[in-house]
Amino acid sequence: MELSSTAREECIVTFRTRSIAEIRAIFDEVRKDISPAIGARKPQRPIDQVYKFADIGKAFEHTEANNHLGKIVVTL
């Protein structure tokens, strides 16, 4: 299941409405995507946005907007 970056950002996945076969297919695709990084012991976590501690309010706003794909980091 190949998605463009725009489609990925707009895609919401829930397993409640999926069949067992669909869930297995999704997990198979995830395994293909992450297996090389796991095998090389170099997994990377996607970082969506980095904020300074002084801008923590903006970080919370970004979190609450629920439009991020990856981690929201606050630096000290």
Side-chain angles (χ1 to χ4, degrees):
M1 173 170 44
E2 190 66 30
L3 297 174
S4 69
S5 62
T6 304
R8 233 177 283 138
E9 291 171 10
E10 296 175 2
C11 184
I12 298 173
V13 176
T14 180
F15 293 113
R16 289 177 286 182
T17 60
R18 307 235 180 216
S19 69
I20 297 296
E22 289 174 307
I23 293 170
R24 285 187 179 136
I26 291 167
F27 276 94
D28 287 344
E29 289 298 316
V30 169
R31 271 190 215 100
K32 280 190 237 175
D33 285 345
I34 67 171
S35 288
I38 299 297
R41 297 191 179 269
K42 295 185 178 184
Q44 293 183 352
R45 291 142 199 96
I47 295 175
D48 183 79
Q49 191 74 31
V50 178
Y51 292 94
K52 293 180 182 177
F53 187 76
D55 296 324
I56 198 161
K58 290 180 184 177
F60 276 107
E61 288 173 7
H62 189 71
T63 302
E64 290 171 355
N66 203 26
N67 290 327
H68 59 283
L69 180 65
K71 301 297 181 186
I72 298 170
V73 177
V74 177
T75 59
L76 299 176

